[in-house]
Amino acid sequence: SQNRDIKKRLENYKNKFTSFVVVGIGGSSLGTQVLQDYFAKKNFVFIDNVDALEFSYQLSELTDLSKTLFLFVSK
């Protein structure tokens, strides 16, 4: 079923990535914050504004970009 396929993909992401960056300007990322509960032991960063200094600071907190999944959300 489709639900089983989604769970399988999530498990693959859960094991492959240590950090997740969700970019959603204007509140677009609010719905994806539910994923944070599923990936509770992972580092989540939610970027929801266009302030370059804040964006730079948030990215500098990530330890390994090669193990970081970026998700861009738009309304």
Side-chain angles (χ1 to χ4, degrees):
S1 75
Q2 185 178 10
N3 195 23
R4 189 177 12 209
D5 292 340
I6 291 171
K7 286 182 180 181
K8 187 175 180 179
R9 284 187 187 184
L10 286 175
E11 283 301 318
N12 289 336
Y13 288 137
K14 190 175 188 178
N15 297 325
K16 184 176 181 179
F17 298 104
T18 57
S19 299
F20 296 86
V21 176
V22 181
V23 180
I25 306 303
S28 294
S29 66
L30 293 176
T32 57
Q33 289 184 10
V34 171
L35 292 175
Q36 188 174 18
D37 292 336
Y38 183 78
F39 295 104
K41 295 180 180 165
K42 306 294 181 175
N43 181 27
F44 262 79
V45 175
F46 291 92
I47 298 175
D48 60 1
N49 67 60
V50 292
D51 183 301
L53 291 175
E54 180 65 22
F55 185 78
S56 177
Y57 170 75
Q58 288 179 297
L59 290 183
S60 73
E61 294 291 306
L62 300 170
T63 56
D64 188 354
L65 289 179
S66 69
K67 293 185 178 188
T68 301
L69 176 69
F70 286 82
L71 174 63
F72 293 84
V73 182
S74 177
K75 290 182 179 178

